[in-house]
Amino acid sequence: MKIGNRSFWLFFLASILLYAVFQVLINMGVLDLYYSNLLINIGINIMLAVSLHLIIGITGQFSIGHAGFLAVGAYTSAIITMKMGLPFEIAILVGGIAAMLAGLVVGIPSLRLKGDYLAIATLGFGEIVRIFFLNIDYVGGAAGMQVTHMTNWTYVFLGTLITVLVVRNFTESTHGRACIAIRENEIAAEAMGIPITYYKVLAFAIGAFFAGIAGALYAHNFYVIQPVNFGFLKSFDILIFVVLGGLGSLSGAVISATFLTLVSTFLQQYPETRMILYSLVLVLVMLYRPQGLMGTKEITDFFSFRKPEKEVGRG
Amino acid sequence: MEIFQQIINGISVGSIYALIALGYTMVYGIVKLINFAHGDVFMLGAFIGFYSITALHLGLIPALLLSMILTALIGVIIERVAYKRLRNSPRISALITAIGVSLFIEYGTIYVRGAQPEAYPGNALPDMVLNLFGLTLNADALFILGVSILLMILLQYIVHRTKVGKAMRAVSHDAETARLMGINVDTTISVTFAIGSSLAGAAGVIFGLYYTKIDPLMGIIPGLKAFVAAVLGGIGSIPGAMAGGMLLGLVETFVSAAGFSLWRDAAAFVILILILIFKPSGLFGQNVKEKV
């Protein structure tokens, strides 16, 4: 999406409208605390889903430790606001950067691994992060850390918008195409002269950065953060957004994150039922539509008058 | 003497990991799938053992056997329902399905019986303590060691001396060629799942006796650690899984004994990442050249 062309301005107007409508509704009190909180949760989950989409859907690196980056962002930002007393904006940025550094630390050594092995290594990384915060008394250990509520609709909206824009523009750029080439066939991509390690680490770092920003917003949306919030069930939650939406579809990730956040909020009273439904949906989608509900299509593909491109088979 | 005591504890814990790891490694060796649901089969095994002792008033050995038979069945059902269709689809789909099956078993169990933990009957084994050269060996540790060693010998026998074992090795080497040679690949895969799952079921009962507390989410962490053990030994290699399990049990016991018990779970994952980075094929694994 280039700045200045028609679709850019359409998107720009639509997003301002979306922001304004919800802001007015919140100010007028139509959306009470419950619903504005739901709105914030949706935004945070979209950020997480889109950032993981860049790693799994675009670059094809199967990472299931995303909650680790979320935790790094959450704890770093909480330390900055609560222990150092710096403003929230700085905390958000530093949370993102800390998660990005974590992404580099994980990415550089473990990207020599492929497929299942990378999945299990990132899962291990996520668990190490959780156990690390569990055993550090400075951040409260298992009891967790008190955090002031600072996240509001404006921050979440901006965060979500920037995440979606950056990931979309990255995907459409030369770099994004290189990442897609790696997803489709790593060996062929390497043979074509694409520096695959560079792009894998880049995708990891960008994905981790936005997960960290989501973490900062997540931390300041509650009054307390605990290591137990960042276990691998959280990673699986994020993974399910991406998988259900379609591996490789940005709008799929956004839609399924929105939809599943709504569903799981309404099923909050029945956590077992929620997880059973989740797991059944996951298995059934994988058995009957392994490419996810949207495949690699985007929502715009359904509205354009041009002939849609043929869906690329994934292997 | 202290150190020998720790070694015995480590081997007891390690043999539980080894039993679970054997199932992981066999399944991975034959269908190239990380069966995330394996840790939950282990959990189901623990619960079947628990209910057969408390509700059916079975003795320990019959309870163990019943648990192994039922978990073998569960393993085959999981394979037939969830994994069979995905044998030729991308690995990621299979992995996600395995995660889905794992979540389904965990929360299905919670739905059926609630999330509250259960205390394993303590009187299942006699309170026997054996003093040997100043080391104390209690009945639990002896039972764990006895059962695990017996099962491992049995497994070695099945894999190396029987017809079905030969078929398993052939399918794991090259499924297509094995099919051409007249081996029924589907049956062989089912047998592999049955054997692996029954080992996990046995590990579940033993785990219950050793740690005395079981709950529906107990399979997650031991399951992951057993996977670490399988990777450590070289995934696909049966002696590797045994050695990996023992080694992991020893490392954990020593980390605990050194006063870092809270970091015990992290140790397993640190080992995992180090092994993956420096020797991805594991201690006993073979290097596989990548094909284009």
Side-chain angles (χ1 to χ4, degrees):
Chain A
M1 203 176 312
K2 279 197 191 109
I3 293 180
N5 70 12
R6 211 185 86 200
S7 67
F8 172 81
W9 289 111
L10 267 175
F11 185 81
F12 187 70
L13 272 176
S15 53
I16 286 183
L17 201 68
L18 187 74
Y19 169 72
V21 166
F22 279 110
Q23 187 62 46
V24 167
L25 285 179
I26 290 169
N27 284 350
M28 277 166 55
V30 178
L31 290 176
D32 57 12
L33 219 64
Y34 179 77
Y35 286 104
S36 61
N37 199 39
L38 176 62
L39 197 63
I40 288 173
N41 274 335
I42 290 177
I44 291 172
N45 281 342
I46 291 178
M47 290 177 71
L48 288 170
V50 169
S51 59
L52 188 63
H53 153 82
L54 177 66
I55 300 174
I56 296 187
I58 299 298
T59 322
Q61 300 305 302
F62 200 57
S63 154
I64 48 179
H66 219 52
F69 300 128
L70 178 73
V72 171
Y75 272 99
T76 313
S77 67
I79 289 168
I80 297 221
T81 53
M82 303 313 296
K83 305 266 180 187
M84 299 183 185
L86 292 171
F88 186 39
E89 290 80 6
I90 294 179
I92 295 179
L93 200 65
V94 177
I97 291 170
M100 185 172 79
L101 292 178
L104 288 175
V105 169
V106 189
I108 292 171
S110 58
L111 289 175
R112 287 175 47 195
L113 308 168
K114 298 199 170 75
D116 301 345
Y117 286 103
L118 178 65
I120 211 81
T122 49
L123 183 70
F125 158 76
E127 281 298 286
I128 291 173
V129 169
R130 185 180 66 82
I131 295 166
F132 175 79
F133 286 123
L134 192 66
N135 289 305
I136 300 292
D137 288 331
Y138 182 69
V139 293
M145 189 175 174
Q146 301 251 320
V147 185
T148 325
H149 180 98
M150 290 190 210
T151 308
N152 61 25
W153 168 235
T154 311
Y155 285 120
V156 171
F157 178 79
L158 280 178
T160 313
L161 185 71
I162 293 171
T163 310
V164 172
L165 272 181
V166 169
V167 170
R168 181 168 167 91
N169 278 351
F170 179 83
T171 311
E172 309 246 302
S173 70
T174 324
H175 308 289
R177 282 177 218 289
C179 287
I180 292 175
I182 293 170
R183 174 188 82 187
E184 294 300 334
N185 191 333
E186 215 165 280
I187 299 165
E190 196 169 23
M192 300 300 285
I194 293 171
I196 54 172
T197 311
Y198 169 78
Y199 279 114
K200 284 179 179 180
V201 173
L202 185 66
F204 239 82
I206 297 175
F209 176 77
F210 286 114
I213 287 183
L217 298 170
Y218 181 83
H220 293 80
N221 192 31
F222 295 108
Y223 298 94
V224 65
I225 46 172
Q226 291 172 311
V228 72
N229 300 337
F230 306 103
F232 58 79
L233 269 183
K234 185 77 194 168
S235 295
F236 286 173
D237 266 355
I238 307 168
L239 177 69
I240 292 169
F241 297 146
V242 177
V243 171
L244 193 71
L247 288 161
S249 166
L250 176 72
S251 32
V254 173
I255 292 167
S256 67
T258 312
F259 175 70
L260 288 177
T261 313
L262 288 172
V263 170
S264 65
T265 308
F266 292 128
L267 284 176
Q268 209 137 51
Q269 277 85 21
Y270 319 98
E272 298 94 35
T273 323
R274 184 191 93 137
M275 290 311 292
I276 291 177
L277 282 178
Y278 251 48
S279 54
L280 277 181
V281 166
L282 200 61
V283 173
L284 290 176
V285 168
M286 278 303 117
L287 287 180
Y288 294 102
R289 202 173 155 76
Q291 71 273 45
L293 295 181
M294 303 266 291
T296 48
K297 286 201 183 77
E298 295 295 340
I299 189 95
T300 44
D301 295 346
F302 296 105
F303 295 116
S304 71
F305 299 104
R306 279 172 298 161
K307 250 190 173 168
E309 279 176 66
K310 249 179 133 184
E311 207 170 319
V312 183
R314 312 206 31 222
Chain B
M1 272 305 138
E2 174 67 22
I3 190 154
F4 288 110
Q5 191 69 53
Q6 296 296 351
I7 289 177
I8 290 176
N9 293 343
I11 290 178
S12 303
V13 180
S15 49
I16 297 180
Y17 291 144
L19 282 180
I20 314 176
L22 284 170
Y24 264 121
T25 226
M26 287 166 68
V27 167
Y28 193 89
I30 208 156
V31 284
K32 297 284 173 291
L33 163 76
I34 300 176
N35 182 11
F36 267 106
H38 196 65
D40 302 299
V41 172
F42 156 79
M43 177 273 291
L44 290 176
F47 271 98
I48 294 169
F50 172 77
Y51 286 119
S52 29
I53 294 173
T54 55
L56 302 177
H57 304 291
L58 290 177
L60 188 56
I61 301 295
L64 185 73
L65 289 176
L66 183 66
S67 166
M68 286 176 72
I69 293 168
L70 290 182
T71 44
L73 219 79
I74 293 168
V76 174
I77 293 172
I78 293 175
E79 195 270 330
R80 282 286 150 107
V81 173
Y83 300 151
K84 198 175 171 192
R85 286 179 62 100
L86 290 166
R87 233 171 257 159
N88 296 319
S89 36
R91 300 270 281 279
I92 285 177
S93 315
L95 195 60
I96 293 168
T97 312
I99 293 173
V101 172
S102 159
L103 291 176
F104 181 74
I105 296 177
E106 281 159 20
Y107 288 90
T109 312
I110 291 181
Y111 188 80
V112 171
R113 65 164 295 283
Q116 75 280 7
E118 208 76 68
Y120 235 71
N123 52 4
L125 276 174
D127 270 333
M128 189 184 69
V129 176
L130 198 68
N131 271 306
L132 210 68
F133 312 116
L135 301 172
T136 50
L137 270 171
N138 56 12
D140 291 0
L142 280 178
F143 183 75
I144 293 178
L145 279 179
V147 171
S148 340
I149 292 171
L150 194 71
L151 289 176
M152 289 177 199
I153 292 173
L154 196 67
L155 180 69
Q156 280 293 345
Y157 176 78
I158 292 176
V159 171
H160 289 286
R161 293 275 184 276
T162 61
K163 214 169 175 183
V164 72
K166 207 175 198 174
M168 279 161 63
R169 282 180 289 145
V171 173
S172 118
H173 193 73
D174 187 339
E176 273 316 300
T177 315
R179 197 189 301 274
L180 293 175
M181 294 294 159
I183 291 171
N184 188 339
V185 174
D186 286 340
T187 313
T188 312
I189 290 175
S190 289
V191 170
T192 310
F193 267 85
I195 295 176
S197 301
S198 71
L199 291 175
V205 177
I206 294 175
F207 183 93
L209 289 173
Y210 192 74
Y211 288 98
T212 65
K213 205 190 95 183
I214 56 171
D215 69 89
L217 297 180
M218 70 183 238
I220 301 175
I221 294 293
L224 286 178
K225 285 191 196 155
F227 180 76
V228 173
V231 174
L232 182 64
I235 197 150
S237 147
I238 288 177
M242 293 181 203
M246 296 291 177
L247 208 61
L248 193 65
L250 286 172
V251 168
E252 276 196 22
T253 313
F254 280 107
V255 169
S256 296
F260 299 103
S261 57
L262 288 168
W263 293 94
R264 198 184 60 199
D265 291 353
F269 296 110
V270 171
I271 292 178
L272 171 74
I273 291 178
L274 290 179
I275 275 283
L276 285 178
I277 292 168
F278 291 109
K279 197 164 178 351
S281 54
L283 300 177
F284 289 70
Q286 293 148 336
N287 250 324
V288 183
K289 277 273 182 298
E290 198 165 342
K291 286 180 227 156
V292 180

